[in-house]
Amino acid sequence: MKRPKLKKASKRMTCHKRYKIQKKVREHHRKLRKEAKKRGHKKPRKDPGVPNSAPFKEALLREAELRKQRLEELKQQQKLDRQKELGKKRKLETNPDIKPSNVEPMEKAFGLCKTENKAKSGKQNSKKLYCQELKKVIEASDVVLEVLDARDPLGCRCPQVEEAIVQSGQKKLVLILNKSDLVPKENLESWLNYLKKELPTVVFRASTKPKDKGKITKRVKAKKNAAPFGSEVCFGKEGLWKLLGSFQETCGKAIQVGVIGFPNVGKSSIINSLKQEQMCNVGVSMGLTRSMQVVPLDKQITIIDSPSFIVSPLNSSSALALRSPASIEVVKPMEAASAILAQADARQVVLKYTVPGYRNSLEFFTMLAQRRGMHQKGGIPNVEGAAKLLWSEWTGASLAYYCHTPTSWTPPPYFNESIVVDMKRDFNLEELEKNNAQSIKAIKGPHLASSILFQSSGLTNGIIEEKDIHEELPKRKERKQEEEEDDKDSDQEIIDEEVDEKSSGMFAAEETGEALSEESTAGEQSTRSFILDKMIEDDDAYDFSTDYV
């Protein structure tokens, strides 16, 4: 008898059940759409491109094309490298005579060389880009504003850049004394009188807390008398505006103003203060600006932000610690902080940080760490953390310190009387003096007693030419090799001394060995008798009533 064929189960369902499933699916899709809206998943907007009214449109488009070409070239080069590596591997597989033990060290060495070359090329390329961008800013600008830190104005001046501006021809150079609220008024006035002999100098205090554009408009609508930057007020803005405006009127055309200087002097903060908006990136870390940025102030004046100067490694250790555009992780904190501390007045440092007198930098850092509660495991004071703290305070915009002006004014070799007269021409200097006097009165600077006296190391040398960057690494290598050789020689001397001491000790031991062996037999008998007598005395003096059961 044949078995009956089993039919498959029917997929039919009641309408009630089907409609219920459809409803659930719709609800689920709705929920997903709501979540996507909350997350902000929007359609990618199309790039509108560079507007026709933007300045340097052609240059920007050219740069964009060059970047695309470079990326394509890099991709092609990487492809070729991969193909070459694959070809080498295939050859090794086909030739069994080559041993793997000989191949591995070659590959390791090749890989190490590659990584080293990449690291070096990366550092050099970033520095080269800085030089290229700085040159572009100087070439494009009619007036160049060199921003100086009022705490050490001489240390913030770069003779190489100033010389390049002077040699470039009809370009004006103006000095801006920023962070003038961190310097005593007497010292600020003396520096202003010293610097204005060479170039037009503006006393400035940039706002350090710029807000977003929307927040500024809301605040202005709410309170008409309120400052746009809140509690942080900008000084010297009117004087700089009038100075640039008077120069533009004499020229009779639209002008471009370049802002240059060492890292952390406040270049981007000055642009934000003039524009009353956060147009440029500002932060505590050094060297945030890495390329030129064009900001139109009005129809006639355009300002250009630039990356910082590259410090030459031939400068003093204190200048390298204060002016190099690197983070504290890159710079050795103990060396940098010790170099800064060596140039500062010890008595005023003790009063500022409320620590007792110190003999060296290590002692100061240990006391500072204990004072601030900076401890490692086991209660050991965090000396490196204290050094980082000191470095960040001295490179930031919070600590008040000052430098004395030089006793006599001596112009640099690239300046002469005719150049000084040309630089001051077409500027309304009388009005500038009035504005500087007003801003000095308005600024509330610290007292001489509460600020620290710092010994300036003079003008800081910089690197402008790209060819000078290549010479930097070999010099460092030579220095390192010399240091290593010195260390090896000193270690060898110490080892030789130890060997001589040990050998002399061995000879002395052999000579005294015979005498000691004769004395030891008599000494052993005397010690035995002494121990026995002591044991008998202890037994007699022992109180048995103190025993416990």
Side-chain angles (χ1 to χ4, degrees):
M1 189 176 170
K2 289 182 179 179
R3 286 181 69 186
K5 287 182 180 179
L6 295 170
K7 289 183 179 180
K8 288 182 181 177
S10 177
K11 288 182 181 179
R12 284 185 181 185
M13 62 177 77
T14 58
C15 291
H16 173 72
K17 195 176 181 182
R18 188 166 67 248
Y19 295 148
K20 194 176 180 182
I21 290 161
Q22 286 172 2
K23 190 181 177 183
K24 288 275 183 187
V25 169
R26 282 197 301 273
E27 283 174 2
H28 176 68
H29 286 312
R30 199 183 298 123
K31 193 179 179 182
L32 289 173
R33 282 198 299 274
K34 274 186 181 179
E35 285 175 3
K37 273 184 184 177
K38 281 179 187 176
R39 278 190 237 119
H41 287 295
K42 294 176 183 177
K43 290 178 182 178
R45 289 182 182 178
K46 288 181 180 179
D47 186 16
V50 183
N52 292 325
S53 59
F56 308 109
K57 185 187 173 180
E58 291 177 2
L60 288 166
L61 291 168
R62 248 182 268 129
E63 281 179 10
E65 283 174 11
L66 284 167
R67 275 190 212 128
K68 279 182 183 177
Q69 284 176 5
R70 281 173 197 161
L71 284 167
E72 285 172 6
E73 284 171 6
L74 277 168
K75 282 177 183 177
Q76 286 175 0
Q77 192 65 38
Q78 284 171 0
K79 242 187 182 180
L80 289 166
D81 291 338
R82 278 184 218 133
Q83 285 172 2
K84 282 178 184 177
E85 282 176 9
L86 285 166
K88 282 177 184 177
K89 282 178 184 177
R90 282 168 192 161
K91 279 179 185 177
L92 290 168
E93 284 170 6
T94 51
N95 296 331
D97 299 332
I98 300 164
K99 292 178 182 179
S101 59
N102 295 332
V103 173
E104 281 175 7
M106 286 291 285
E107 283 179 355
K108 284 178 184 176
F110 183 70
L112 283 167
C113 293
K114 256 191 174 179
T115 51
E116 282 174 10
N117 290 329
K118 277 181 186 175
K120 285 175 188 176
S121 63
K123 286 178 186 177
Q124 285 180 8
N125 287 335
S126 63
K127 287 185 177 180
K128 279 181 184 177
L129 283 169
Y130 273 40
C131 288
Q132 287 168 10
E133 294 293 312
L134 186 66
K135 280 180 181 177
K136 282 179 193 174
V137 172
I138 292 165
E139 283 172 12
S141 53
D142 302 307
V143 181
V144 181
L145 306 178
E146 189 177 9
V147 185
L148 312 177
D149 194 334
R151 298 174 289 182
D152 183 15
L154 210 64
C156 293
R157 289 184 71 176
C158 182
Q160 286 80 12
V161 175
E162 287 181 7
E163 193 175 356
I165 292 161
V166 169
Q167 287 174 359
S168 61
Q170 297 174 349
K171 293 187 191 296
K172 303 289 181 184
L173 183 63
V174 179
L175 302 177
I176 295 178
L177 278 173
N178 196 23
K179 301 182 186 179
S180 51
D181 59 322
L182 300 173
V183 176
K185 282 188 180 182
E186 303 87 358
N187 187 258
L188 184 63
E189 285 172 359
S190 63
W191 271 112
L192 182 64
N193 293 327
Y194 179 83
L195 292 169
K196 72 181 182 183
K197 290 175 184 177
E198 287 180 36
L199 297 163
T201 309
V202 183
V203 174
F204 206 91
R205 192 260 187 196
S207 179
T208 53
K209 289 183 182 177
K211 305 290 180 186
D212 293 333
K213 193 176 179 180
K215 290 181 181 178
I216 289 168
T217 50
K218 282 177 188 175
R219 188 168 285 182
V220 170
K221 283 176 185 175
K223 293 180 182 180
K224 288 180 182 179
N225 298 325
F229 287 0
S231 60
E232 297 290 339
V233 187
C234 175
F235 295 105
K237 185 177 76 174
E238 289 178 10
L240 187 57
W241 263 110
K242 285 175 183 176
L243 189 77
L244 296 172
S246 65
F247 180 74
Q248 188 271 320
E249 283 173 7
T250 51
C251 288
K253 61 170 186 176
I255 59 163
Q256 290 173 351
V257 182
V259 183
I260 59 169
F262 279 104
N264 258 27
V265 291
K267 301 183 290 296
S268 302
S269 298
I270 285 166
I271 294 166
N272 291 339
S273 301
L274 290 169
K275 191 70 179 171
Q276 293 188 356
E277 293 175 27
Q278 193 167 357
M279 302 299 290
C280 305
N281 290 329
V282 179
V284 180
S285 56
M286 304 173 90
L288 277 173
T289 310
R290 294 183 181 181
S291 60
M292 65 183 283
Q293 188 178 351
V294 180
V295 180
L297 291 181
D298 61 8
K299 289 179 181 179
Q300 300 298 327
I301 302 167
T302 307
I303 201 157
I304 308 166
D305 195 8
S306 69
S308 57
F309 302 152
I310 295 164
V311 186
S312 174
L314 304 171
N315 286 301
S316 62
S317 53
S318 61
L320 289 168
L322 289 167
R323 309 279 169 247
S324 55
S327 60
I328 192 63
E329 282 76 20
V330 178
V331 179
K332 290 178 182 177
M334 288 293 290
E335 289 178 12
S338 300
I340 293 164
L341 198 66
Q343 300 293 104
D345 190 13
R347 289 179 297 173
Q348 289 172 347
V349 168
V350 164
L351 290 167
K352 180 71 182 175
Y353 290 98
T354 59
V355 293
Y358 59 93
R359 287 170 290 181
N360 52 26
S361 59
L362 186 65
E363 193 178 349
F364 172 77
F365 295 138
T366 51
M367 287 190 288
L368 182 65
Q370 287 169 352
R371 178 77 182 169
R372 299 286 175 95
M374 299 168 79
H375 297 290
Q376 292 176 337
K377 286 182 181 179
I380 300 158
N382 189 359
V383 179
E384 197 168 330
K388 282 181 185 179
L389 178 75
L390 185 119
W391 183 83
S392 61
E393 282 185 2
W394 279 77
T395 52
S398 58
L399 189 75
Y401 68 89
Y402 66 98
C403 299
H404 285 311
T405 52
T407 50
S408 61
W409 178 70
T410 50
Y414 49 86
F415 271 123
N416 53 35
E417 289 180 5
S418 64
I419 290 165
V420 170
V421 171
D422 286 337
M423 287 290 176
K424 290 179 181 179
R425 196 179 293 151
D426 301 330
F427 286 118
N428 194 347
L429 297 174
E430 291 177 2
E431 198 172 357
L432 178 63
E433 281 182 14
K434 287 177 186 176
N435 289 318
N436 282 339
Q438 285 174 5
S439 53
I440 287 166
K441 279 182 183 177
I443 290 165
K444 291 181 180 178
H447 296 289
L448 277 165
S450 61
S451 51
I452 302 164
L453 177 64
F454 183 75
Q455 193 178 353
S456 179
S457 54
L459 297 167
T460 307
N461 293 313
I463 298 169
I464 301 176
E465 298 298 329
E466 294 167 32
K467 62 183 179 182
D468 297 336
I469 293 163
H470 295 290
E471 294 171 7
E472 194 176 333
L473 289 166
K475 281 178 184 176
R476 282 185 185 174
K477 273 188 180 180
E478 285 172 11
R479 282 180 192 169
K480 279 184 182 178
Q481 283 175 1
E482 285 173 6
E483 285 172 6
E484 284 172 6
E485 284 173 6
D486 292 337
D487 292 337
K488 281 178 185 177
D489 293 338
S490 61
D491 292 339
Q492 192 63 39
E493 285 172 7
I494 291 159
I495 291 159
D496 292 339
E497 284 174 7
E498 285 176 1
V499 168
D500 293 336
E501 284 174 7
K502 282 178 184 177
S503 59
S504 61
M506 287 288 286
F507 287 126
E510 283 175 6
E511 288 173 3
T512 53
E514 293 173 1
L516 284 167
S517 61
E518 289 173 3
E519 288 175 5
S520 63
T521 51
E524 280 173 9
Q525 290 175 1
S526 62
T527 48
R528 280 175 191 167
S529 60
F530 173 74
I531 290 160
L532 286 165
D533 294 337
K534 191 72 180 169
M535 284 170 73
I536 292 158
E537 282 174 13
D538 291 340
D539 288 339
D540 292 337
Y542 186 71
D543 188 8
F544 291 96
S545 63
T546 58
D547 275 351
Y548 294 99
V549 179

